[in-house]
Amino acid sequence: MATHRLSSVPADALAVIEATTGPVERAEMVSAGLNSEIAARVQLRDGRRIFVKGMRSDHRWVWTQRREADINAHTRGLAPELKWHATGKGWNLLAFEDLGGKHADYMPGSPDLELVIQAMWTLSTATAPASVDLKTMPSRLSAHVEEPDDLQAFAGTHLLHTDWKPDNVLITGGRARLVDWDGPPSVQPGSTPPCG
């Protein structure tokens, strides 16, 4: 679901950020990622730093912002902490702790590989929250099987992050952390795919 990335934070979006956090010293757009019109590291005048991602309120994928906000409480220790979710002036914005770090290196022999495996093991214990409307894996894979009964092999109750490309895995503080939880499916039986 690639979205056009803006080259700077628009003044109206910056006004929403400042109304929520206080004065901004600078906002630096990042190039990694595909799903947000805004993706910026924001330095506040009081010394705090946050990472802000967002879309215009009328964007066809704006519903993914709510999903990412809702899922955040269930990804503690794996994802950056959500600081706030704000809407206004035509924007829908999420602010997270700025983890810094670097994108994971998947080359053979990389020390990041062990950290990524540890994150996978941690995620394997996360049960999908019933309170968040998530797609099931059977729903996501239904167009890729010849026999509908085969989909039951993918049914379950665990939360998944299915986009492990290096841009979505940050190595920081001796750990691998996962970002971009706007599209994680659940394999929870009976959940209804979201509209979009």
Side-chain angles (χ1 to χ4, degrees), residues 39-106:
R41 285 198 160 92
V42 177
Q43 175 74 47
L44 304 173
R45 283 197 196 144
D46 65 9
R48 293 177 295 145
R49 292 174 34 154
I50 55 175
F51 179 81
V52 176
K53 66 187 287 188
M55 297 180 179
R56 288 181 177 88
S57 297
D58 62 355
H59 193 285
R60 71 178 289 213
W61 297 108
V62 73
W63 58 272
T64 63
Q65 293 277 106
R66 169 51 52 201
R67 179 191 287 169
E68 188 159 10
D70 289 346
I71 202 80
N72 189 263
H74 305 280
T75 59
R76 296 270 186 248
L78 281 169
E81 179 186 351
L82 179 68
K83 297 297 187 181
W84 49 260
H85 182 193
T87 58
K89 298 187 180 289
W91 288 97
N92 188 305
L93 304 172
L94 299 173
F96 297 93
E97 67 177 313
D98 183 8
L99 295 176
K102 67 178 187 80
H103 297 293
D105 176 1
Y106 288 167

Side-chain angles (χ1 to χ4, degrees), residues 173-187:
R175 297 168 54 199
R177 306 282 293 274
L178 304 173
V179 299
D180 281 346
W181 287 85
D182 50 1
S186 154
V187 288

Side-chain angles (χ1 to χ4, degrees), residues 1 35 61 63 67 133-145 148 150-152 154-155 158-164 168 180-188 191-194:
M1 97 179 169
N35 300 339
W61 297 108
W63 58 272
R67 179 191 287 169
D133 189 18
L134 300 171
K135 285 186 177 183
T136 66
M137 283 307 288
S139 173
R140 281 189 71 167
L141 298 174
S142 63
H144 304 286
V145 298
D150 291 345
L151 291 171
Q152 290 311 305
F154 300 99
H158 287 81
L159 181 66
L160 300 177
H161 188 297
T162 60
D163 192 359
W164 287 77
N168 288 339
D180 281 346
W181 287 85
D182 50 1
S186 154
V187 288
Q188 182 176 6
S191 70
T192 304

